C-alpha cells in the first residue's frame, strides 16, 4: 500500500487529456481534485473551479461535474443542468478510458481490497448517477429515459465494488481486524449505539445484509464474473467494453401534431408515452440492452441474488483512521461507493406508486434502511464524498422525512425515522468542517423547523445568507417563505415568495400563486373589521393570481407540465367560473383557504405548535361562517377540502377520533365518483383515505390495541396505493410509499 507521506508530497504531473493517467500519479491527482472540490462545500465556487482547472485527470473532471451538479440540483436552472450534463459526460468518458488502461497496466496501484481500475469504475458510476439525476430533472423526455437507464448501469458497477469488499473480508478472514479497528475519534457520538445494535443482524454494503433483487435478472455472463481473491489481490476486473450512451438512444419525438395534451395531470405513467419508450429497454440481458452493452467490470448478478446472503463483519463500523483504509484510493472508493450506492437505494425506495412503472426500467428495488446506513458511513470521511453524504442526509431528514407522517418510532433506534440527536451531531460536525458555508446554516434553519421552532427558523433565514453559491440564497428565501406561511405571517409570506421570483426561475407560477393566496387570507381577516384595508388586500391578491397563467407551462418534468402548474391553473379556472355563475367578484368566488391547502401539501401542520394549529382552524372555519355568504352554494368537493384540512389539523393536535369522524361523515361516506369531474378537486377523496391511515398510526400508545391500529392503518393505505390517477398523486404517493415501507417493519404484510 502507498504511504501517506508519499502521495501527499509527490510532485504533481498534470497530463494532457490525450495522455493516459500514470498509475504513480493517481494518488496525488486524487488528493488535488478532492481538495479543490471540497471548496464548493464552503460556498467557494471560484476556488473550486480554479483548483479543478489545474488538472485534467478523471478525478478533476469528476470534481468539475460534482460542483456543477450541486449547483444544478440546488437551483433547478436549465442552463446549469445543461452544463452539468456536459461536464458529467466528459467525466464518464475519461473514467472509462482510465479504467481500461488501469486494468491493462501491470504497474497500476494494486489495492488489497478492490480490483485494478476500481477508482475509475467509481468515478464512472458517480458520473452516471449524477447524470441520471440531472437527466430526470431535465425537461426532455429522451434525457429522462436515458437517466433511468444510467441508474441501472451505475447500480451494476457499485454493486460490484461492494461485493469486492465482501470477498476481501471473506477471503482474508478479517472479522477480528474490523472489530478491533473501529473508528472512534471523529465519529458522531451516537454512531456506536445505533450501528452496533444492528450488527448482529448483518450490515449493509454487501456483508450479511439482504440486497435488492433485480425485477427480472438476466442470465449470468461467465465473462463478467469476478474472479475469486488471490493471495495478492482481492479480485480482478474484466476489461470494460465501450460505454457510449449515444448509441443506445435516439432523440425522442416529444411533440406530435394532432396529439391532444391531457387537461388533467396523469400521474400514473401507464398513460404516458414514456412507458412505451421504456418498454424498449428490456431487462433481459439478451435483448435490447444486450450483453455487449453492459459494463463488464463487475458481475451484475453476484450479490443481488437470494443465495448471496452471508453473515460477516462490516466495514460500516470503521472510519477513516482504520488501517483498512491506509491506501487513500481505498478510502476514496469506500466512501464514494457507500455514498452513491446508498443514495441510489434511497432514491428508488421513495418512488411513489404512481411511478411504479419506472422500477421495470431500473431493474432493481430500493432499500431505504440499507441506503441510509451506507450514507451515514460515507459521512464519516473528511472528503467530498463525506460532505455530500452529510448534505444529502440532512436534506433527507429535514425535507423528505418532514414531509411524511407514518414513520418508524425514534425510540426503536431506526434511522428511517428522525434521529434528532444524531442529526444535530452531524450538522455540528459539518459546520466545523466547512465553517464558511451558508448551506449548513440553511440546514440548521430547517432543523429548527422540524423541531417546531418556526420563529427561530425565520430569524436565521432573515440574517445574511449571501453566498457566492447563489442557489443557496434562493433556497433560503424559499424556506423562509414556507415557514412564514406556517406561522400565518401572510405579509412576510407574500413578500418572500415574490422575492423568490427574482432569485430562482423554477416555478414562478407557484410563487405568485402562494403570494396571492396569502393576500386572500388578509382580505378575509379584515373584511368585517376594516373594509378599506380588506379591499387593498383583495386588489393585491387578484393582481398576483391573475398573473399566474402567464408563467405556467414554461417548466416541464419528463416532458410534462409541472403538476403544481396544472393544479393552480385548474383552481383559477374554477374560481373564475364560479364568479361568473354566482355573479360575484373574483375574490369572493375563491373557496376554502388556498393558503391552508398549500400548508397541507408541504405538511406544514407537522411543524406547527398548538398555537399555530389553532390559527389554522380559525382560517378554515371562515368559509363555513356567517362572514361567507356563498358557503351554501359550495359543491361537495369544496366542502371536502375543508373537512380534509380540518381533519389534518385535528390529527396533529392528537384529536384522532374527531378527525376520523370528520373524514368519514363528510368525505369517505360519499361515492368517490362524486368528487370527479370538470374543475373538481379530485385529490380530496384519496387524501381522506390517507388521513385515516395516518390517524390510526399516530394513535398508537404502546398498548394492546396497537396491533389492530397498525392493521387498520395498512388497510387504508392499501386503498390509496391502488387509487386511479388523481391530481398531485405523486405528492401523496411519496407519503404512501414511505408509510408502506414503515409498516413492513412493524409486521404488516399487506392485504390478505
Amino acid at each position: 500500500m502507498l504511504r501517506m507521506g508519499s502521495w501527499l508530497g509527490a510532485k504533481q504531473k498534470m497530463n494532457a487529456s490525450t495522455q493516459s493517467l500514470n498509475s504513480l500519479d493517481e494518488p496525488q491527482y486524487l488528493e488535488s481534485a478532492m481538495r479543490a472540490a471540497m471548496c464548493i462545500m464552503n460556498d467557494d465556487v471560484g476556488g473550486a473551479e480554479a483548483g479543478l482547472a489545474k488538472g485534467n485527470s478523471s478525478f478533476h473532471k469528476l470534481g468539475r461535474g460534482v460542483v456543477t451538479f450541486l449547483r444544478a440540483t440546488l437551483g433547478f436552472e436549465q442552463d446549469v443542468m445543461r452544463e452539468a450534463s456536459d461536464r458529467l459526460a466528459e467525466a464518464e468518458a475519461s473514467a472509462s478510458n482510465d479504467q481500461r488502461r488501469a486494468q491493462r497496466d501491470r504497474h497500476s496501484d494494486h489495492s488489497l481490497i478492490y480490483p485494478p481500475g476500481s477508482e475509475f469504475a467509481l468515478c464512472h458510476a458517480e458520473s452516471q448517477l449524477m447524470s441520471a439525476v440531472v437527466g430526470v430533472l431535465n425537461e426532455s423526455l429522451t434525457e429522462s429515459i436515458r437517466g433511468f437507464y444510467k441508474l441501472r448501469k451505475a447500480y451494476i458497477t457499485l454493486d460490484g465494488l461492494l461485493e469486492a469488499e465482501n470477498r476481501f473480508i471473506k477471503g482474508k478472514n478479517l472479522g477480528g481486524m474490523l472489530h478491533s479497528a473501529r473508528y472512534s475519534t471523529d465519529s458522531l457520538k451516537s454512531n456506536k449505539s445505533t450501528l452496533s445494535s444492528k450488527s448482529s443482524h448483518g450490515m449493509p454494503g454487501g456483508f450479511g445484509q439482504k440486497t435488492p433483487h433485480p425485477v427480472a435478472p438476466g442470465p449470468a455472463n461467465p465473462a463478467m464474473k469476478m474472479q475469486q481473491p488471490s493471495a495478492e489481490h482481492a479480485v480482478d476486473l474484466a476489461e470494460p467494453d465501450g460505454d457510449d450512451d449515444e448509441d443506445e438512444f435516439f432523440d425522442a419525438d416529444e411533440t406530435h401534431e394532432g396529439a391532444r395534451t391531457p387537461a388533467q395531470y396523469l400521474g400514473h405513467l401507464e398513460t404516458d408515452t414514456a412507458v412505451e419508450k421504456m418498454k424498449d429497454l428490456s431487462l433481459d440481458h439478451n435483448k435490447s440492452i444486450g450483453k455487449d452493452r453492459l459494463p463488464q467490470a463487475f458481475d451484475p448478478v453476484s450479490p443481488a441474488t437470494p443465495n448471496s446472503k452471508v453473515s460477516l463483519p462490516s466495514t460500516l463500523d470503521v472510519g477513516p483512521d482504520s488501517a483498512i483504509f491506509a491506501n487513500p484510493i481505498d478510502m476514496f472508493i469506500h466512501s464514494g461507493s457507500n455514498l452513491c450506492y446508498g443514495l441510489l437505494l434511497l432514491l428508488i425506495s421513495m418512488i411513489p406508486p404512481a411511478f411504479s412503472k419506472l422500477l421495470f426500467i431500473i431493474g432493481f428495488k430500493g432499500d431505504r434502511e440499507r441506503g441510509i446506513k451506507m450514507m451515514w458511513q460515507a459521512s464519516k470521511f473528511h472528503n467530498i464524498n463525506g460532505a455530500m453524504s452529510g448534505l444529502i442526509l440532512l436534506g433527507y431528514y429535514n425535507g423528505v422525512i418532514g414531509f411524511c407522517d407514518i414513520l418508524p418510532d425514534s425510540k426503536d433506534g431506526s434511522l428511517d425515522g428522525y434521529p434528532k440527536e444524531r442529526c444535530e451531531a452531524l450538522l455540528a460536525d459539518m459546520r466545523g468542517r466547512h465553517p464558511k458555508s451558508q448551506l449548513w446554516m440553511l440546514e440548521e434553519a430547517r432543523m429548527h423547523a422540524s423541531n417546531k421552532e418556526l420563529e427561530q427558523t425565520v430569524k436565521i433565514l432573515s440574517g445574511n445568507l449571501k453566498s457566492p453559491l447563489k442557489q443557496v440564497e434562493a433556497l433560503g428565501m424559499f424556506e423562509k417563505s414556507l415557514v412564514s406561511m406556517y406561522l400565518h405571517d401572510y405579509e412576510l409570506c407574500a413578500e418572500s415568495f415574490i422575492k423568490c421570483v427574482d432569485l430562482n426561475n423554477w416555478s414562478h407560477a407557484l410563487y405568485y400563486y402562494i403570494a396571492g393566496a396569502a393576500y386572500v387570507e388578509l382580505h378575509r381577516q379584515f373584511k368585517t373589521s376594516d373594509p378599506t384595508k380588506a379591499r387593498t388586500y383583495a386588489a393585491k391578491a387578484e393582481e398576483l393570481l391573475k398573473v399566474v397563467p402567464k408563467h405556467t407551462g414554461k417548466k416541464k418534468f419528463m416532458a410534462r407540465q409541472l403538476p403544481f402548474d396544472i393544479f393552480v391553473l385548474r383552481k383559477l379556472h374554477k374560481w373564475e367560473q364560479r364568479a361568473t355563475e354566482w355573479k360575484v367578484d373574483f375574490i369572493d368566488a375563491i373557496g376554502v383557504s388556498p393558503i391552508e391547502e398549500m400548508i397541507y401539501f408541504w405538511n406544514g401542520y407537522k411543524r406547527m405548535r398548538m398555537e399555530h394549529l389553532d390559527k389554522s382552524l380559525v382560517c378554515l372555519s371562515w368559509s363555513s361562517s356567517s362572514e361567507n355568504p356563498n358557503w351554501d352554494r359550495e359543491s361537495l368537493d369544496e366542502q371536502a377540502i375543508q373537512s380534509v384540512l380540518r381533519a389534518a389539523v385535528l390529527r396533529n393536535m392528537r384529536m384522532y377520533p374527531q378527525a376520523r369522524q370528520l373524514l368519514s361523515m363528510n368525505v369517505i361516506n360519499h361515492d368517490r365518483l362524486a368528487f370527479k369531474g370538470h374543475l373538481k378537486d379530485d385529490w380530496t377523496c384519496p387524501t381522506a383515505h390517507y388521513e385515516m391511515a395516518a390517524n390510526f398510526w399516530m394513535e398508537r400508545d404502546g398498548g394492546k390495541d396497537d396491533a389492530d391500529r397498525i392493521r387498520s392503518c395498512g388497510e387504508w393505505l392499501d386503498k390509496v396505493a391502488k387509487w386511479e390517477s388523481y391530481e398531485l398523486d405523486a405528492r401523496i404517493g411519496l407519503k404512501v410509499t414511505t408509510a408502506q415501507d414503515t409498516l413492513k417493519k412493524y409486521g404488516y404484510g399487506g392485504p390478505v
Side-chain angles (χ1 to χ4, degrees):
M1 291 191 180
L2 294 173
R3 294 177 57 196
M4 190 67 71
S6 65
W7 70 272
L8 282 173
K11 182 180 178 182
Q12 296 186 9
K13 302 176 182 179
M14 301 302 183
N15 297 333
S17 59
T18 56
Q19 294 178 301
S20 296
L21 181 61
N22 188 304
S23 62
L24 297 178
D25 294 329
E26 286 180 19
Q28 65 186 27
Y29 286 136
L30 173 62
E31 192 273 338
S32 170
M34 295 189 77
R35 183 176 62 246
M38 283 288 280
C39 292
I40 193 67
M41 306 313 295
N42 253 329
D43 296 4
D44 186 1
V45 182
E49 293 286 0
L52 291 167
K54 294 178 180 178
N56 211 20
S57 70
S58 292
F59 303 123
H60 288 82
K61 291 176 181 177
L62 175 64
R64 289 195 286 271
V66 169
V67 169
T68 318
F69 170 79
L70 186 61
R71 290 171 51 217
T73 52
L74 288 176
F76 296 104
E77 295 148 317
Q78 287 299 313
D79 55 337
V80 182
M81 288 187 189
R82 284 190 290 271
E83 182 184 359
S85 181
D86 292 342
R87 284 187 167 189
L88 291 168
E90 183 183 7
E92 272 189 68
S94 177
S96 181
N97 291 334
D98 279 335
Q99 182 189 351
R100 188 178 296 107
R101 185 269 311 157
Q103 290 174 337
R104 295 171 177 172
D105 185 359
R106 292 183 303 168
H107 302 291
S108 176
D109 174 57
H110 291 303
S111 165
L112 292 179
I113 304 176
Y114 305 101
S118 291
E119 63 273 34
F120 301 114
L122 174 63
C123 290
H124 191 259
E126 284 200 49
S127 300
Q128 287 182 318
L129 180 56
M130 290 185 288
S131 181
V133 173
V134 172
V136 172
L137 294 175
N138 197 292
E139 297 181 1
S140 164
L141 179 60
T142 303
E143 291 302 317
S144 298
I145 297 173
R146 182 178 295 168
F148 287 114
Y149 182 49
K150 283 179 180 288
L151 287 181
R152 175 192 174 100
K153 297 205 292 184
Y155 166 81
I156 293 171
T157 301
L158 295 166
D159 202 42
L161 288 171
L162 294 170
E163 177 67 1
E165 287 188 4
N166 186 346
R167 296 188 182 190
F168 171 70
I169 294 174
K170 185 177 180 180
K172 298 297 184 181
N173 191 22
L174 295 179
M177 177 181 176
L178 282 173
H179 288 294
S180 64
R182 290 192 178 184
Y183 174 64
S184 60
T185 56
D186 292 329
S187 62
L188 302 178
K189 293 180 180 179
S190 55
N191 279 5
K192 186 180 294 183
S193 60
T194 305
L195 292 177
S196 62
S197 64
K198 300 290 184 182
S199 61
S200 60
H201 302 291
M203 298 299 293
F207 322 124
Q209 179 77 5
K210 65 179 181 179
T211 56
H213 306 299
V215 175
N221 183 355
M224 297 167 66
K225 290 285 186 182
M226 301 175 88
Q227 300 177 10
Q228 293 296 326
S230 65
E232 185 177 0
H233 309 304
V235 217
D236 289 327
L237 292 177
E239 182 179 339
D241 284 343
D243 192 29
D244 188 356
D245 290 329
E246 296 302 320
D247 293 336
E248 297 156 5
F249 293 92
F250 297 96
D251 287 336
D253 183 8
E254 297 174 11
T255 58
H256 306 275
E257 290 188 13
R260 182 176 300 175
T261 301
Q264 301 292 330
Y265 167 55
L266 302 177
H268 290 269
L269 290 186
E270 286 83 352
T271 63
D272 291 346
T273 56
V275 175
E276 298 304 317
K277 299 178 183 297
M278 291 177 185
K279 288 178 180 177
D280 295 334
L281 300 175
S282 170
L283 297 182
D284 187 339
H285 296 292
N286 293 319
K287 292 185 180 179
S288 64
I289 294 177
K291 294 180 181 179
D292 59 330
R293 289 292 185 196
L294 289 173
Q296 295 187 7
F298 302 105
D299 178 6
V301 297
S302 291
T305 60
N307 297 326
S308 67
K309 295 181 181 179
V310 289
S311 181
L312 290 170
S314 169
T315 50
L316 293 187
D317 283 334
V318 298
D321 285 352
S322 169
I324 296 175
F325 302 123
N327 186 332
I329 291 180
D330 286 348
M331 186 184 298
F332 168 70
I333 297 171
H334 176 76
S335 60
S337 58
N338 275 275
L339 161 64
C340 295
Y341 201 70
L343 176 59
L344 194 51
L345 294 180
L346 179 62
L347 287 175
I348 302 306
S349 73
M350 294 191 298
I351 290 181
F355 293 92
S356 58
K357 271 283 186 182
L358 297 180
L359 292 175
F360 290 95
I361 184 176
I362 295 168
F364 61 92
K365 295 180 180 179
D367 188 330
R368 187 186 312 269
E369 183 177 8
R370 184 184 179 200
I372 291 171
K373 287 180 179 178
M374 295 179 78
M375 285 195 292
W376 275 110
Q377 168 65 7
S379 70
K380 298 176 185 177
F381 292 80
H382 290 217
N383 55 25
I384 188 64
N385 295 326
M388 288 289 288
S389 286
L391 186 62
I392 293 169
L393 282 168
L394 291 172
Y396 170 74
Y397 285 118
N398 296 322
V400 177
I401 289 299
F403 180 73
C404 300
D405 306 292
I406 302 174
L407 299 163
D409 300 324
S410 299
K411 65 178 184 294
D412 294 337
S414 173
L415 295 177
D416 292 1
Y418 187 78
K420 179 180 176 181
E421 292 182 0
R422 191 163 183 178
C423 286
E424 290 173 349
L426 176 62
L427 177 60
D429 185 35
M430 289 297 167
R431 288 198 65 182
R433 296 190 208 175
H434 315 288
K436 298 179 181 179
S437 176
Q438 298 296 336
L439 271 172
W440 311 109
M441 287 292 290
L442 175 60
E443 291 304 331
E444 180 182 350
R446 286 174 167 171
M447 190 173 291
H448 282 294
S450 297
N451 294 328
K452 303 180 186 292
E453 300 165 352
L454 299 178
E455 294 83 359
Q456 183 63 22
T457 301
V458 171
K459 182 178 179 180
I460 292 174
L461 296 175
S462 297
N464 182 17
L465 280 182
K466 293 288 184 180
S467 168
L469 195 59
K470 66 174 185 176
Q471 291 82 4
V472 175
E473 184 180 355
L475 275 176
M477 185 58 66
F478 182 74
E479 197 70 25
K480 179 180 178 180
S481 305
L482 289 177
V483 174
S484 58
M485 180 172 70
Y486 307 153
L487 283 168
H488 304 94
D489 188 341
Y490 303 121
E491 289 273 16
L492 181 60
C493 174
E495 292 170 3
S496 300
F497 269 114
I498 291 172
K499 289 179 180 178
C500 286
V501 174
D502 296 326
L503 294 173
N504 178 270
N505 61 5
W506 172 244
S507 182
H508 287 181
L510 180 64
Y511 305 154
Y512 283 123
Y513 179 82
I514 299 181
Y519 284 123
V520 169
E521 217 52 57
L522 286 168
H523 159 74
R524 291 178 176 179
Q525 279 186 10
F526 293 98
K527 188 174 183 180
T528 302
S529 61
D530 191 339
T532 302
K533 185 179 287 188
R535 285 193 293 271
T536 301
Y537 287 130
K540 289 183 177 181
E542 188 165 353
E543 178 185 1
L544 290 169
L545 292 173
K546 289 296 181 68
V547 82
V548 168
K550 300 177 182 178
H551 297 275
T552 58
K554 295 184 178 182
K555 297 293 179 182
K556 294 184 179 181
F557 176 73
M558 292 182 65
R560 299 191 64 84
Q561 194 170 353
L562 295 179
F564 259 111
D565 280 7
I566 297 173
F567 175 83
V568 298
L569 267 182
R570 180 193 57 77
K571 297 289 283 191
L572 291 170
H573 291 157
K574 181 179 182 178
W575 298 336
E576 288 170 346
Q577 179 177 297
R578 283 147 53 109
T580 302
E581 291 177 357
W582 296 352
K583 295 181 174 57
V584 298
D585 292 336
F586 175 80
I587 194 73
D588 294 323
I590 296 174
V592 175
S593 175
I595 203 76
E596 292 294 327
E597 265 187 328
M598 293 295 101
I599 290 173
Y600 179 79
F601 285 127
W602 264 275
N603 210 9
Y605 296 138
K606 184 178 179 180
R607 296 170 173 85
M608 292 183 183
R609 299 192 302 273
M610 292 297 288
E611 61 267 31
H612 306 135
L613 294 168
D614 284 333
K615 288 184 179 179
S616 284
L617 285 179
V618 171
C619 291
L620 290 168
S621 66
W622 184 91
S623 294
S624 54
S625 71
S626 58
E627 292 189 59
N628 179 18
N630 299 313
W631 182 247
D632 292 339
R633 302 179 180 181
E634 290 291 6
S635 58
L636 176 63
D637 66 303
E638 194 71 33
Q639 294 177 4
I641 294 174
Q642 187 194 51
S643 296
V644 169
L645 298 183
R646 286 178 61 192
V649 175
L650 293 174
R651 170 172 61 81
N652 282 277
M653 298 175 84
R654 299 187 178 90
M655 300 172 67
Y656 309 118
Q658 296 91 325
R660 288 199 298 270
Q661 183 181 17
L662 194 61
L663 293 167
S664 297
M665 291 180 59
N666 297 341
V667 186
I668 294 172
N669 286 346
H670 294 279
D671 188 334
R672 67 170 65 180
L673 293 178
F675 299 94
K676 291 181 172 292
H678 181 57
L679 299 180
K680 288 187 177 182
D681 285 85
D682 65 351
W683 59 271
T684 52
C685 195
T687 303
H689 285 68
Y690 169 80
E691 280 296 319
M692 290 290 283
N695 270 279
F696 279 113
W697 177 257
M698 294 179 66
E699 197 175 18
R700 293 172 306 118
D701 55 10
K704 58 184 177 63
D705 295 330
D706 278 6
D708 291 336
R709 289 167 178 152
I710 291 173
R711 184 173 60 254
S712 296
C713 174
E715 289 169 353
W716 284 104
L717 281 176
D718 292 335
K719 294 177 183 179
V720 187
K722 296 175 182 177
W723 212 277
E724 63 271 17
S725 176
Y726 56 92
E727 201 168 45
L728 299 181
D729 54 0
R731 182 165 284 260
I732 302 300
L734 174 60
K735 296 187 176 190
V736 173
T737 301
T738 304
Q740 289 178 320
D741 194 53
T742 297
L743 290 189
K744 290 178 184 177
K745 295 177 173 61
Y746 286 78
Y748 180 75
V752 179

